[in-house]
Amino acid sequence: MSTDLTRKTADELARSLSAKEVSSVEVTQALVDRIGAVDGAIHAFLHVDAEGALATAADIDDRRAKGEQLSYLAGVPIAVKDVLATRGMPTTCGSKILDGWIPPYDATVTAKIKAAGLPILGKTNMDEFAMGSSTEHSAYGPTHNPWDTTRIPGGSGGGSAAAVAAFEAPLAIGTDTGGSIRQPGALTGTVGVKPTYGGVSRYGLVAMASSLDQAGPVTRTVLDAALLHELIAGHDPMDSTSIPDAVPAVVAAARRADVKGLKIGIVRELGGEGFQPGVEARFTEAVELLTSAGAEVVEVSIPSISYALGAYYLVMPSEASSNLAKFDAMRYGVRVPPAGVDDPSAEQVMASSRDAGFGSEVKRRIILGTYALSSGYYDAYYGSAQKVRTILARDFDAAFADVDVLVSPTSPTTAYPLGDKLDDPLAMYLGDIATIPANLVGIPGLSLPVGLAAEDGLPVGLQFLAPQKADDRLYNAAAALEQLLEQKWGGTLLSQAPELEATR
């Protein structure tokens, strides 16, 4: 029974809970047991709050028994990336500099989850301050891919994706600055969505790059992603970049799942050299399925996309170096006095604490960003990168004038072995070549698993992109393709994943 509960989708659990066929306590306990059994091999979680999750579950069961009107997902457990503030629960951002920090407030996303009655199972592992594409840069050790524990789960949100793929949680929250929801989704066979920038509040999300960061759903199905998206989205006066418009009808779009007459553009520049043959093969087969379902597929060129990676790695570290300046050991976080100094100055304590608290990748990006913002270089680097963003946005607008959605492989490769690219940061950065453009121009993107690469038997993702505030287009197209793929496979892709051995 408990195994069956961990394998159910969030929608299936919501319906079973509503019908009182199962209790939230039973579901939550099954997932807590699953985490205890397999997370020793996966390391998806940095903190597990079994007591708090079970208390929330018991409260929801009691309120449901009394006939209280509850949200659709009430009682369905969820995992939260450790970059979102959670009152009373540690929030480390995968960094030693925040080791043991417990926020006195909730992020807006966290508050919405709590208000809707979803038990929070715990906080998931991540690259330190979301800086990385493999979750190997966590100060607390890497997360392992449930498909092959010797390989990366993607990053920076590999913990959330691995938790969902390992059936430790039916839902998770990730954040996406350059692909950190979508790329792990592709590498773990899960669904990952980056909403339109401003569609989900960033209040309480510890910022890396404020003009790029966006929280979103990590799930096993498109409908589950839509249900979670609808719950966490909406205007928030606490976030000055929050969109005041109504949330797109994403759940209705996911239930519609009809691409007949839809015009889909294949991005010419996101394929070919550098893309693994097995990835391209599964992508091509998926596009053919969309064509067979009545979609019109054309090739589209976005010329400036070749400059996106370079622009991103100027904008992101520049904003990160500014945002991380607040970690000064004066107000919160780890304080490390300099060795051999009897009466250190504030500057000495700050330097010593940041040296001890930040990892190598964070230091690399702070140095790069500080240089790009320095006097005499601002216009040449950061200013030029912002101009590229404007040109890229115009190219995307031109593409969306001709098509409804765009598609590409989510990641150029499948999951590579742990440690394979740690000594070559540039090679790791190239893994985000297909996902970064959406963040630079603020459009929504969704990664859907579309099969296994022939070379290694590992998951491949297809990325859908839509215009700003047209997130519903993603869900309609992705749900239609998901149905076609499941008919072809006779089930979900994750049903083909190897069973994890218990580690306790």
Side-chain angles (χ1 to χ4, degrees):
M1 175 66 174
S2 62
T3 302
D4 291 342
L5 290 177
T6 62
R7 298 271 170 167
K8 284 183 178 290
T9 68
D11 180 55
E12 290 169 342
L13 288 171
R15 286 188 275 113
S16 293
L17 287 164
S18 181
K20 299 180 182 177
E21 297 168 352
V22 67
S23 70
S24 180
V25 167
E26 288 174 308
V27 174
T28 304
Q29 186 64 61
L31 290 162
V32 168
D33 291 345
R34 174 71 175 174
I35 293 167
V38 304
D39 204 56
I42 302 302
H43 192 38
F45 285 86
L46 291 178
H47 175 76
V48 177
D49 185 20
E51 183 179 347
L54 287 166
T56 298
D59 177 61
I60 290 298
D61 288 340
D62 183 57
R63 290 164 60 189
R64 182 169 274 121
K66 292 176 180 176
E68 188 174 327
Q69 189 71 29
L70 301 171
S71 77
Y72 184 74
L73 289 175
V76 179
I78 189 170
V80 176
K81 187 177 180 180
D82 200 28
V83 72
L84 286 151
T86 44
R87 184 176 182 179
M89 194 185 302
T91 299
T92 69
C93 299
S95 178
K96 288 295 185 185
I97 208 163
L98 282 177
D99 191 28
W101 183 61
I102 298 177
Y105 70 101
D106 280 323
T108 296
V109 168
T110 308
K112 287 191 173 191
I113 288 168
K114 289 182 176 180
L118 280 70
I120 297 176
L121 294 165
K123 306 296 288 293
T124 57
N125 199 13
M126 56 182 285
D127 286 299
E128 185 178 5
F129 286 105
M131 297 186 194
S133 303
S134 64
T135 317
E136 293 173 286
H137 292 292
S138 168
Y140 304 97
T143 294
H144 301 258
N145 193 320
W147 287 83
D148 179 347
T149 55
T150 67
R151 294 177 182 259
I152 66 157
S156 65
S160 288
V164 171
F167 301 100
E168 296 177 307
L171 299 169
I173 297 293
T175 62
D176 194 308
T177 306
S180 295
I181 292 174
R182 291 163 290 153
Q183 184 250 20
L187 272 49
T188 59
T190 54
V191 176
V193 183
K194 184 202 91 68
T196 293
Y197 180 77
V200 175
S201 173
R202 290 186 301 109
Y203 176 74
L205 190 168
V206 181
M208 174 171 69
S210 303
S211 74
L212 304 169
D213 298 339
Q214 186 61 76
V218 180
T219 64
R220 290 196 286 271
T221 71
V222 175
L223 177 57
D224 282 1
L227 291 166
L228 183 53
H229 186 150
E230 190 170 76
L231 189 155
I232 62 174
H235 179 62
D236 178 17
M238 301 296 285
D239 177 3
S240 63
T241 62
S242 178
I243 296 172
D245 302 356
V247 178
V250 293
V251 174
R255 294 189 189 280
R256 185 166 65 250
D258 182 10
V259 294
K260 195 172 294 180
L262 195 73
K263 195 169 183 181
I264 299 174
I266 298 174
V267 182
R268 181 186 303 156
E269 290 80 6
L270 296 178
E273 185 179 356
F275 283 74
Q276 186 176 319
V279 169
E280 292 207 305
R282 296 292 85 80
F283 171 75
T284 300
E285 290 169 2
V287 171
E288 288 171 353
L289 283 177
L290 289 167
T291 303
S292 70
E296 179 187 353
V297 178
V298 298
E299 190 175 73
V300 172
S301 177
I302 301 178
S304 59
I305 214 164
S306 60
Y307 300 106
L309 193 70
Y312 175 83
Y313 278 102
L314 285 169
V315 173
M316 178 272 297
S318 296
E319 295 186 8
S321 100
S322 176
N323 278 321
L324 268 61
K326 62 178 169 281
F327 298 103
D328 56 9
M330 298 295 129
R331 288 161 287 194
Y332 49 80
V334 170
R335 180 177 295 180
V336 181
V341 181
D342 294 332
D343 187 21
S345 66
E347 288 80 6
Q348 288 173 315
V349 173
M350 188 187 308
S352 178
S353 300
R354 285 166 70 86
D355 182 46
F358 287 144
S360 59
E361 183 63 23
V362 172
K363 290 174 183 175
R364 179 184 293 117
R365 299 195 192 195
I366 288 174
I367 291 168
L368 178 59
T370 303
Y371 179 79
L373 292 175
S374 61
S375 177
Y377 295 100
Y378 180 95
D379 289 334
Y381 293 112
Y382 185 74
S384 294
Q386 293 288 31
K387 291 174 184 176
V388 169
R389 291 180 80 171
T390 300
I391 295 167
L392 188 63
R394 288 173 185 165
D395 283 354
F396 269 100
D397 286 344
F400 285 126
D402 294 330
V403 299
D404 299 304
V405 295
L406 296 168
V407 292
S408 76
T410 308
S411 170
T413 69
T414 55
Y416 50 82
L418 288 158
D420 199 43
K421 297 184 180 179
L422 276 177
D423 296 328
D424 189 355
L426 290 178
M428 186 178 289
Y429 296 166
L430 286 169
D432 297 329
I433 193 167
T435 52
I436 278 171
N439 298 84
L440 287 172
V441 300
I443 62 174
L446 181 155
S447 180
L448 178 75
V450 292
L452 305 176
E455 302 96 321
D456 48 30
L458 293 171
V460 173
L462 178 147
Q463 174 181 234
F464 289 94
L465 299 172
Q468 289 183 358
K469 299 189 284 189
D471 304 52
D472 51 323
R473 295 190 196 179
L474 301 176
Y475 286 97
N476 175 50
L481 179 55
E482 180 182 54
Q483 290 180 11
L484 294 166
L485 288 164
E486 290 183 4
Q487 290 169 12
K488 176 182 174 181
W489 298 330
T492 65
L493 188 68
L494 280 170
S495 66
Q496 303 174 40
E499 182 54 55
L500 293 166
E501 293 184 10
T503 56
R504 70 172 184 188

